[in-house]
């Protein structure tokens, strides 16, 4: 606004000002202060054909991450005006630094740390290969949280376009450290069960800020002790699970954020957590057990592709494969899926729409799923999700398309909790 006023007063060269995109906050002392969301703003400017940008000096490193942008870091308004031909007195001021982001990045934990749990490890690998959602139910200490925390470690790195998209969301949220460059690893968000709906899906005064579902875009959203989350909060996940984005309406306008994440839920089998195996140590009544898992609504569970029990660990359990070995198989399966789906604009089996999958899957392979629908074991949505699972299983085996065996295994993975 200051530059526009001075250009209207012919204090500076308006033609030169029109060539620049100016981002930042002007303080009363004349210094240019850092702001959030510089990276997506600069990316939008470059895409619109305006690559020359002036940003606060504290945001210059972040803006420079955008390919094709010509970035100048401004300390004060006077330096911007001099660059535009105005007669402004040089000022000797210290730049305003962007807030320091405390980075919690560390190497992802390894699957080799998990002893036993063969069926849960298979479910985790299938979930990673196809981008599927996962529910694990088991007693405390069985390893549900350990498994979930190791899912990002077997996912492939983000490509350039997705890295910019993910980094842009974290820039808007103020949780991005530009010194580390673009976010290349899939994010992992694990909000506490006391989190509000606004914290999960986004909110705040004015235009809504991104929540956990958007911060987990292209990564993993893990809800530990899922039945402890308020049902209203859990049900807010249904829209982003279907659409891969979240639209937040406020009085000042609507905000649309990406939210294509893998949802991982972990739950105890009952309030006391011991209704597993023989259930001898459980002190909960049958009604209490039904009510506890009943907090996970039917419509939400119908959107969870894989549902597996996780049994208590045994002394004889041995460590399984390391993450690197599993990640290699996941990468190969994703490459096969991408080759098949990329012409249609999809990357993983979880993104492929049901009608298209039904057209490219043999009638014989689908017969088992239709029988499950006829028996009331699957909904129409469940049919499509089980079919996506079957394609992922085929990709992991290197098969050109799913057969009857893949369909059977997909049904077992989807109905593992109730089987």
């Amino acid at each position: 606004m200051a530059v526009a006023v001075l250009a209207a007063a012919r204090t500076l060269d308006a033609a030169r000002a029109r060539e620049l995109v100016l981002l930042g906050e002007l303080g009363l002392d004349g210094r240019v202060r850092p702001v959030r969301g510089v990276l997506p703003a600069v990316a939008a400017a470059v895409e619109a054909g305006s690559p020359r940008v002036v940003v606060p000096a504290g945001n210059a490193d972040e803006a420079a991450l955008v390919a094709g942008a010509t970035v100048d870091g401004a300390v004060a308004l006077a330096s911007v005006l001099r660059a535009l031909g105005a007669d402004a007195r040089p000022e000797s001021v210290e730049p305003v630094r962007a807030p320091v982001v405390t980075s919690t990045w560390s190497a992802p934990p390894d699957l080799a740390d998990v002893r036993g749990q063969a069926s849960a490890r298979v479910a985790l690998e299938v979930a990673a290969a196809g981008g599927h959602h996962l529910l694990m139910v088991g007693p405390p200490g069985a390893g549900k949280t350990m498994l979930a925390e190791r899912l990002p470690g077997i996912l492939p790195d983000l490509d350039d376009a997705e890295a910019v998209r993910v980094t842009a969301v974290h820039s808007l949220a103020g949780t991005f450290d530009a010194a580390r460059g673009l976010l290349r690893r899939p994010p992992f968000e694990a909000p506490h069960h006391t989190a509000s709906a606004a914290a999960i899906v986004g909110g705040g005064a004015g235009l809504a800020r991104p929540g956990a579902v958007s911060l987990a875009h292209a990564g993993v959203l893990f809800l530990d002790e899922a039945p402890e989350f308020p049902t209203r909060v859990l049900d807010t996940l249904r829209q982003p699970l279907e659409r891969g984005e979240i639209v937040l309406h406020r009085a000042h306008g609507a905000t649309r954020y990406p939210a294509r994440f893998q949802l991982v839920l972990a739950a105890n089998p009952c309030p006391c957590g011991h209704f597993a195996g023989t259930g001898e140590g459980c002190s909960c009544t049958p009604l209490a057990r039904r009510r506890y898992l009943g907090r996970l609504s039917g419509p939400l569970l119908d959107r969870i592709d894989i549902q597996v029990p996780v049994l208590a660990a045994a002394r004889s359990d041995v460590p399984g494969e390391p993450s690197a070995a599993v990640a290699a198989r996941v990468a190969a399966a994703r490459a096969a899926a991408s080759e098949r789906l990329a012409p249609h604009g999809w990357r993983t089996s979880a993104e492929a729409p049901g009608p298209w999958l039904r057209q490219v899957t043999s009638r014989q392979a689908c017969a088992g799923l239709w029988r499950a629908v006829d028996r009331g074991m699957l909904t129409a949505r469940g049919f499509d999700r089980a079919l996506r699972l079957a394609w992922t299983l085929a990709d992991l085996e290197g098969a050109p398309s799913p057969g009857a065996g893949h369909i059977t295994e997909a049904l077992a993975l989807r109905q593992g909790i109730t089987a």
Side-chain angles (χ1 to χ4, degrees):
M1 291 178 62
V3 170
V5 170
L6 293 171
R10 300 187 179 183
T11 304
L12 51 81
D13 187 350
R16 293 172 65 180
R18 281 195 293 268
E19 297 175 355
L20 299 178
V21 174
L22 305 170
L23 301 170
E25 179 183 293
L26 181 60
L28 294 177
D29 58 359
R31 291 191 293 178
V32 180
R33 302 177 180 275
V35 293
R36 292 174 176 165
V38 162
L39 187 143
V42 173
V46 172
E47 186 177 354
S50 301
R52 294 189 58 195
V53 295
V54 178
V55 301
N59 292 129
D61 290 343
E62 180 180 344
L65 295 174
V66 180
T70 302
V71 180
D72 290 318
V75 175
L77 178 61
S79 60
V80 179
L81 299 183
R82 287 196 306 274
L84 293 174
D87 184 15
R89 178 172 57 85
E91 296 182 12
S92 178
V93 296
E94 288 292 324
V96 181
R97 300 297 180 187
V100 177
V101 178
T102 302
S103 178
T104 58
W105 183 91
S106 60
D110 200 287
L111 267 173
D113 301 332
V114 180
R115 301 176 69 89
Q117 304 300 355
S119 61
R121 291 172 64 100
V122 169
L124 200 72
E125 181 175 337
V126 175
H132 303 289
H133 309 305
L134 172 65
L135 167 65
M136 295 180 285
V137 177
K144 303 184 297 294
T145 302
M146 287 185 68
L147 287 162
E149 290 174 343
R150 283 150 181 77
L151 176 55
I154 62 175
L155 294 175
D157 288 341
L158 306 178
D159 61 25
D160 291 343
E162 205 65 275
V164 171
R165 194 172 175 86
V166 169
T167 305
V169 174
H170 286 257
S171 172
L172 285 166
T175 59
F176 167 58
D177 183 1
R180 292 194 177 274
L182 293 175
L183 299 176
R184 293 288 182 178
R185 292 297 304 151
F188 180 81
E189 293 291 323
H192 192 261
H193 61 75
T194 57
S196 65
I200 298 296
V201 299
L207 291 178
R209 291 176 57 189
V213 297
S214 297
L215 294 174
H217 175 70
V220 178
L221 177 65
F222 175 47
L223 303 186
D224 202 2
E225 306 293 345
E228 301 295 339
F229 282 80
T231 301
R232 184 176 67 88
V233 173
L234 291 174
D235 285 342
T236 61
L237 299 173
R238 287 153 59 179
Q239 182 200 32
L241 286 176
E242 287 291 333
R243 300 184 181 179
E245 64 177 12
I246 184 75
V247 182
L248 303 168
H249 292 270
R250 295 295 184 270
H252 297 283
T255 311
R256 186 185 303 269
Y257 291 117
R260 188 173 295 282
F261 54 88
Q262 282 187 251
L263 177 63
V264 178
L265 304 176
N268 293 327
C270 63
C272 78
H274 298 296
F275 187 69
T278 61
E280 293 178 357
C282 178
S283 59
C284 305
T285 65
L287 179 60
R289 291 195 291 267
R290 285 197 300 271
R291 284 180 174 174
Y292 185 71
L293 287 180
R295 297 175 186 175
L296 303 177
S297 69
L300 176 63
L301 289 177
D302 201 33
R303 290 168 168 83
I304 306 300
D305 306 319
I306 304 173
Q307 303 178 22
V308 294
V310 181
L311 302 179
R315 181 190 298 184
S316 58
D317 288 341
V318 297
E321 289 181 296
S323 291
V326 180
R329 294 196 296 269
V330 168
R334 287 211 172 199
S338 179
E339 183 178 355
R340 180 177 67 252
L341 301 173
H344 305 280
W346 312 310
R347 302 183 186 184
T348 63
S349 297
E351 298 178 31
W356 183 83
L357 284 176
R358 291 194 294 272
Q359 290 177 1
V360 298
T361 307
S362 69
R363 183 176 301 179
Q364 182 180 3
C366 289
L369 294 178
W370 286 122
R371 285 195 294 271
V373 172
D374 292 339
R375 295 170 185 168
M377 299 167 60
L378 283 180
T379 63
R381 180 190 290 116
F383 179 102
D384 290 341
R385 291 191 173 275
L387 187 56
R388 294 183 183 114
L389 270 177
W391 274 98
T392 298
L393 292 166
D395 289 333
L396 281 167
E397 288 189 6
S401 63
H406 300 121
I407 296 295
T408 301
E409 189 174 354
L411 285 172
L413 285 171
R414 181 164 176 81
Q415 299 174 322
I417 299 301
T418 56

